[in-house]
Amino acid sequence: MTGASTAPTVIPVGSDYDVVIGGGVLEQVADLLREGVERVLVVHPPTLSGLADRVVGLLTDKGYAAEPAEVPDAESAKTSTVAASLWGRLGRAGFTRSDAIVGVGGGTVTDLAGFVAATWLRGVQVVQVPTTLLGMVDAAVGGKTGINTEEGKNLVGAFHPPVGVLCDIDVLRSLPEADFVGGLAEVIKCGFIADPVILDLVAQDPTAARRADNPRLRELIERAIRVKADVVAVDLKDNAVREILNYGHTFGHAIEQVEQFSWRHGEAISVGMVYVAELARLTGHLTGPEGDDLVAWHRAVLESVGLPTTYRPDRFEALLTAMSRDKKARGSTLRFVVLDGLAEPARLAGPSEELLRAAYELVSVR
């Protein structure tokens, strides 16, 4: 449950850093900075200027020279132009390699702040303060940073773990419902790939799951973060195990690109999960009545919280082109994360275009 009176939960990501989860934990932001920091740049979107000012105040009270840096909202923040503007701010303010950046915002801001931190003087500290459900359970945890190009999403980036992550669940109360529900896609993803209790918690009361005042929200967030933390701890640079976190993302990222990022990330990933579930059934990874039930469960759980499970029928060629640029592709070979069963992720490499199109037909609405 939320509230400052509840002790925070601390989830270690290997031996590298901690994720602090709870109500009112924003007050701990200065505690996560490591020795030697003097200057801090607080990166935030226009909608969170008040919260960013609060973070600046908390840091200033601890003796840091902190200043806010506003960036555009949503995916428009993740460009080389915006990154260059932040590099300019750092240079003019005299930031050294021992100084730090704090990212306050959703996944786009934490991606951008992390990338700028990774590239300024070849790496400075970054503390992530995600303010959306998506940011808390996905973008801010794991050390993946990046910006977009016209050719695709997150194609330019670096692995740069934060020195700490603060997930203050009280800030979710002001999050628009559509954005909150979009974040649930990444929570549900963790249920399918590793922790089925998440799916049970959502299925018990889908209406409550859609709300930030859900009494089980903190448990859902903690379970999803533990899934990611456990994976990242053994595979920081996405060489093997970490790939399972991309369940639904190859097709989902393609939707985002084709729709020019007008779809929320979680909405696209929701369709992407149904797509790879159908692809798993077509390729023999999911078989028999149990496989059919698992595919149906994808649709049931996702639809129960208001997430989409279908896509338009006239975009296959564009989606295929977008998927070919996916970071998980190897040469001309497309790679997908699929399931052999509930919480049994596997890899599928090089399915034929015929199979890819057949799965697309199964998620298309006419």
Side-chain angles (χ1 to χ4, degrees):
M1 296 179 66
T2 63
S5 62
T6 304
T9 299
V10 178
I11 298 177
V13 182
S15 59
D16 295 326
Y17 60 96
D18 292 332
V19 182
V20 182
I21 309 160
V25 297
L26 190 67
E27 305 291 331
Q28 301 181 30
V29 62
D31 299 335
L32 296 184
L33 293 171
R34 294 177 182 170
E35 186 177 354
V37 174
E38 295 180 3
R39 303 167 190 83
V40 183
L41 189 70
V42 179
V43 181
H44 68 93
T47 53
L48 294 175
S49 57
L51 188 63
D53 287 344
R54 184 180 166 198
V55 171
V56 168
L58 290 167
L59 293 168
T60 302
D61 289 345
K62 295 288 187 176
Y64 296 104
E67 60 180 274
E70 184 178 296
V71 296
D73 201 12
E75 294 293 334
S76 58
K78 291 175 58 174
T79 69
S80 58
T81 300
V82 176
S85 72
L86 293 177
W87 292 324
R89 288 282 299 269
L90 295 170
R92 290 189 295 273
F95 271 62
T96 69
R97 198 169 187 180
S98 61
D99 293 321
I101 293 172
V102 174
V104 179
T108 56
V109 169
T110 58
D111 279 355
L112 171 69
F115 177 71
V116 171
T119 49
W120 183 251
L121 299 177
R122 298 189 178 92
V124 298
Q125 295 181 43
V126 63
V127 170
Q128 302 289 19
V129 184
T131 60
T132 65
L133 181 58
L134 175 62
M136 290 181 185
V137 302
D138 184 43
V141 179
K144 278 188 178 182
T145 74
I147 56 175
N148 305 330
T149 69
E150 291 184 3
E151 291 71 30
K153 183 172 181 178
N154 295 331
L155 294 181
V156 177
F159 292 99
H160 187 64
V163 295
V165 179
L166 283 179
C167 297
D168 191 331
I169 58 180
D170 288 345
V171 305
L172 296 177
R173 295 171 182 170
S174 61
L175 192 68
E177 183 178 284
D179 292 331
F180 184 85
V181 170
L184 282 174
E186 291 286 358
V187 177
I188 291 169
K189 176 203 75 178
C190 291
F192 280 118
I193 64 171
D195 185 359
V197 173
I198 289 173
L199 305 177
D200 294 334
L201 291 172
V202 172
Q204 285 169 17
D205 194 343
T207 301
R210 292 171 54 93
R211 302 195 310 265
D213 62 354
N214 175 16
R216 307 303 293 272
L217 175 61
R218 179 164 168 175
E219 181 180 359
L220 286 170
I221 292 173
E222 289 177 3
R223 284 184 174 276
I225 289 175
R226 286 188 192 280
V227 168
K228 186 159 190 178
D230 288 347
V231 171
V232 170
V234 298
D235 184 16
L236 170 64
K237 295 191 174 181
D238 211 358
N239 292 317
V241 178
R242 184 167 178 162
E243 193 173 30
I244 69 172
L245 297 172
N246 291 315
Y247 186 63
H249 282 56
T250 299
F251 192 80
H253 279 169
I255 290 177
E256 288 183 277
Q257 184 178 341
V258 169
E259 295 294 334
Q260 298 181 324
F261 302 107
S262 62
W263 277 49
R264 289 177 176 83
H265 175 74
E267 294 168 345
I269 298 311
S270 177
V271 179
M273 285 189 280
V274 178
Y275 178 82
V276 289
E278 292 287 8
L279 188 60
R281 180 159 57 178
L282 290 170
T283 54
H285 284 266
L286 295 176
T287 59
E290 290 184 358
D292 293 342
D293 289 346
L294 185 51
V295 175
W297 202 11
H298 278 69
R299 287 189 169 87
V301 173
L302 293 165
E303 290 174 359
S304 74
V305 297
L307 285 164
T309 57
T310 57
Y311 187 62
R312 57 188 297 170
D314 58 346
R315 289 290 186 270
F316 177 74
E317 284 72 20
L319 291 167
L320 186 60
T321 298
M323 286 192 289
S324 70
R325 301 188 184 116
D326 188 84
K327 300 184 298 301
K328 293 170 289 302
R330 300 292 186 271
S332 59
T333 301
L334 282 178
R335 291 166 58 87
F336 294 85
V337 179
V338 295
L339 296 179
D340 284 339
L342 183 59
E344 297 178 18
R347 282 79 172 171
L348 172 64
S352 68
E353 183 174 325
E354 180 182 5
L355 285 169
L356 294 172
R357 187 182 293 272
Y360 174 71
E361 295 288 335
L362 293 170
V363 299
S364 297
V365 172
R366 285 168 172 74

